[in-house]
Amino acid sequence: IGVLFENEKVFKITKSAKQDMHILAKYDIQLNNFFDISVADYIINAGLKSNIDNIELSQYHSQYELLSNQLKENSLDFIYSNIEKPLIKILFEMEENGFKINQDILEMLDNEFTNKIDSISKEILQNRLLQFFLINWELNLIIIRNNLQTQIY
């Protein structure tokens, strides 16, 4: 089976190439020469609701034909072939191997964001307290004015 998935001459249609790559990696098999209909659908219908998750295996080929034509018609085939499709393998490798994080920079950013959050939280609290005091001050003035008017009459 590995020969089939790795063979560049055999074209494969998948609904989730990255997920398939994870499964195949367990058996030391690579996925080559594929078309990911979910990625193509995302490029064409970005931001719109899609029914791609509901399609059956028997519909993959017709979806491939439809989507590959739409990519070409909308001049999006370059984006699919040169940006999104290579990104599938990059994301797969990142998920499989992980990636290095500079701990010092991460701690610095953590401190910076914590300080910003604290500062903004204090500012919000001060504004709310000021609002509270102004509203109570106005209410007290109304009460005093009403009491004075009642005493005058």
Side-chain angles (χ1 to χ4, degrees), residues 26-118:
K26 292 177 184 176
Y27 305 99
D28 200 29
I29 300 171
Q30 292 184 0
L31 178 63
N32 294 318
N33 193 16
F34 62 87
F35 184 88
D36 189 318
I37 55 179
S38 293
V39 171
D41 181 70
Y42 173 78
I43 294 168
I44 294 165
N45 300 310
L48 302 175
K49 190 172 180 170
S50 172
N51 290 325
I52 203 75
D53 291 334
N54 299 327
I55 67 165
E56 303 286 328
L57 185 60
S58 60
Q59 299 170 306
Y60 280 25
H61 190 266
S62 61
Q63 281 297 310
Y64 159 71
E65 289 179 345
L66 174 72
L67 294 169
S68 62
N69 286 334
Q70 287 179 342
L71 287 171
K72 289 174 190 162
E73 289 169 6
N74 293 299
S75 301
L76 297 170
D77 49 334
F78 178 85
I79 291 174
Y80 175 82
S81 299
N82 296 298
I83 297 172
E84 294 294 337
K85 187 175 176 186
L87 192 56
I88 295 169
K89 184 165 176 122
I90 292 168
L91 293 173
F92 159 73
E93 289 175 358
M94 287 174 67
E95 290 174 6
E96 282 288 306
N97 302 320
F99 52 92
K100 292 184 180 183
I101 296 177
N102 185 321
Q103 191 67 32
D104 294 335
I105 292 175
L106 188 62
E107 287 175 14
M108 180 192 72
L109 289 172
D110 179 50
N111 289 333
E112 183 180 325
F113 291 138
T114 300
N115 290 338
K116 282 183 181 180
I117 290 169
D118 288 346

Side-chain angles (χ1 to χ4, degrees), residues 1-12:
I1 260 186
V3 174
L4 178 68
F5 287 106
E6 292 179 341
N7 190 334
E8 290 283 349
K9 294 179 183 177
V10 178
F11 183 68
K12 281 76 69 181

